[in-house]
Amino acid sequence: VGAIGGTYTSPILMPGEACIGAIGAIETVPRYQADGSLAPVRVMRISWSADHRLLAGATVARFSNRLKALLQDPSRMLLSLR
């Protein structure tokens, strides 16, 4: 959805699917920094839906956190290929 400008979405599981993700567009938004100043920050929203009969919510959350870390520092992706 992000490829066509969408920012928020709610992925819906279809029969036979265990998990589905949706990626929103990257936008620049103001965010407070640790020192209290405002700075422009690039944000991309990701939404997940999972069948909890197959996947625990904590598993999906760990996967989401790992994906976030890789997207924030793409060089990690190359290091994890070794």
Side-chain angles (χ1 to χ4, degrees):
V1 175
I4 58 173
T7 54
Y8 293 95
T9 185
S10 297
I12 298 173
L13 285 174
M14 300 303 286
E17 295 177 339
C19 186
I20 186 170
I23 298 173
I26 297 171
E27 351 175 63
T28 302
V29 296
R31 290 287 189 256
Y32 284 103
Q33 303 300 303
D35 64 1
S37 64
L38 276 176
V41 175
R42 296 180 62 154
V43 174
M44 179 178 69
R45 291 169 181 85
I46 299 177
S47 303
W48 302 103
S49 291
D51 185 339
H52 288 272
R53 295 172 297 178
L54 303 171
L55 295 169
T59 302
V60 178
R62 281 191 295 274
F63 174 79
S64 187
N65 288 336
R66 178 71 176 139
L67 179 63
K68 177 184 173 185
L70 291 172
L71 291 172
Q72 287 177 331
D73 184 7
S75 62
R76 284 184 178 181
M77 284 189 243
L78 295 175
L79 292 174
S80 67
L81 291 175
R82 295 202 275 160

